Amino acid sequence: SQTIHQWPATLVQPVGSPLSLECTVEGTSNPNLYWYRQAAGRGLQLLFYSVGIGQISSEVPQNLSASRPQDRQFILSSKKLLLSDSGFYLCAWSNLEFTTQRTTGELFFGEGSRLTVL
Amino acid sequence: RKEVEQDPGPFNVPEGATVAFNCTYSNSASQSFFWYRQDCRKEPKLLMSVYSSGNEDGRFTAQLNRASQYISLLIRDSKLSDSATYLCVVNRYTGNQFYFGTGTSLTVIP
């Protein structure tokens, strides 16, 4: 069965410090991978998605970046955190149907990383 | 304009009540529609997909109106365990992006 691991679960960082969140998926190959952010009292905002190694699409301009060095590994980074980067970060994966190039429709989320920037 | 809009609530209903949530989406190219459930401080999980003809899963019924770009979720005989935030989600195959509404908060009261 497929599993998704995301870490760290919780972190408190000072403004201006770097960030690295890591996500790995097991039990599937060539998944679509996503990073979402959920600010307090707000909805999920799509930050990045990736359809393959080295292929990253950004949804919103920001001081965050994403990388996919391996098929099932997705990393979210920042060189200098801002107060506004605080939030609940969620990694997710979905599968692409090979014949129709459609997703199956379900997103599977990691347990999330709660970031507080002070 | 937001891709997906939902009434944030909160909805506070007694056990056994029927409650309905609504959602609208802005892009007519949206192809797939879902309801996700998110418990407090947890990750969202798929509750059910929404099909054009409408579909039911136990106490839950989902409806889609493509002409009005409108999705609904009906919960019958509410249970305490139904308390959560319900997220409306749409997907466009181009780019394989999933767009989430801000969620509707439900609290079922004993």
Side-chain angles (χ1 to χ4, degrees):
Chain A
S1 63
Q2 301 90 353
T3 57
I4 178 168
H5 302 284
Q6 184 181 343
W7 69 93
T10 307
L11 64 167
V12 180
Q13 297 281 105
V15 168
S17 64
L19 171 74
S20 180
L21 301 179
E22 190 163 341
C23 172
T24 59
V25 180
E26 296 176 1
T28 186
S29 59
N30 197 30
N32 291 337
L33 296 172
Y34 306 81
W35 278 110
Y36 284 87
R37 175 172 61 203
Q38 187 174 39
R42 301 182 68 178
L44 272 74
Q45 179 186 33
L46 178 62
L47 301 175
F48 301 95
Y49 71 94
S50 171
V51 298
I53 296 173
Q55 300 179 61
I56 309 293
S57 296
S58 174
E59 279 291 291
V60 294
Q62 58 205 307
N63 72 321
L64 298 171
S65 62
S67 62
R68 186 169 177 174
Q70 299 180 46
D71 181 43
R72 290 170 287 177
Q73 183 185 26
F74 206 22
I75 298 171
L76 183 69
S77 304
S78 174
K79 292 181 180 178
K80 289 185 177 181
L81 284 168
L82 306 172
L83 287 175
S84 57
D85 291 326
S86 293
F88 190 41
Y89 288 81
L90 289 154
C91 180
W93 72 273
S94 69
N95 257 331
L96 189 68
E97 289 182 10
F98 180 76
T99 53
T100 63
Q101 294 297 295
R102 293 168 45 173
T103 62
T104 60
E106 184 171 0
L107 270 176
F108 299 90
F109 286 91
E111 293 184 344
S113 299
R114 198 165 299 279
L115 169 66
T116 303
V117 182
L118 300 176
Chain B
R1 186 180 173 186
K2 290 182 180 178
E3 291 273 349
V4 182
E5 300 210 48
Q6 287 182 254
D7 179 352
F11 285 69
N12 300 312
V13 303
E15 272 187 289
T18 296
V19 61
F21 305 139
N22 302 319
C23 168
T24 57
Y25 60 95
S26 60
N27 194 317
S28 59
S30 299
Q31 295 291 333
S32 299
F33 310 90
F34 315 91
W35 285 100
Y36 277 68
R37 169 190 169 131
Q38 185 175 23
D39 293 303
C40 187
R41 301 180 72 83
K42 297 287 189 179
E43 74 276 19
K45 293 183 180 178
L46 179 66
L47 177 66
M48 60 194 302
S49 300
V50 186
Y51 303 122
S52 296
S53 55
N55 48 297
E56 188 174 302
D57 182 2
R59 297 181 293 109
F60 299 85
T61 301
Q63 297 280 350
L64 168 65
N65 184 322
R66 285 187 183 271
S68 302
Q69 296 182 194
Y70 171 94
I71 308 159
S72 66
L73 176 68
L74 183 77
I75 305 175
R76 293 182 299 279
D77 188 24
S78 299
K79 310 291 184 190
L80 295 176
S81 57
D82 294 334
S83 297
T85 296
Y86 291 83
L87 303 168
C88 177
V89 184
V90 304
N91 170 247
R92 282 186 265 143
Y93 296 145
T94 303
N96 299 303
Q97 297 129 315
F98 292 78
Y99 295 95
F100 285 73
T102 53
T104 300
S105 174
L106 171 67
T107 301
V108 180
I109 304 164

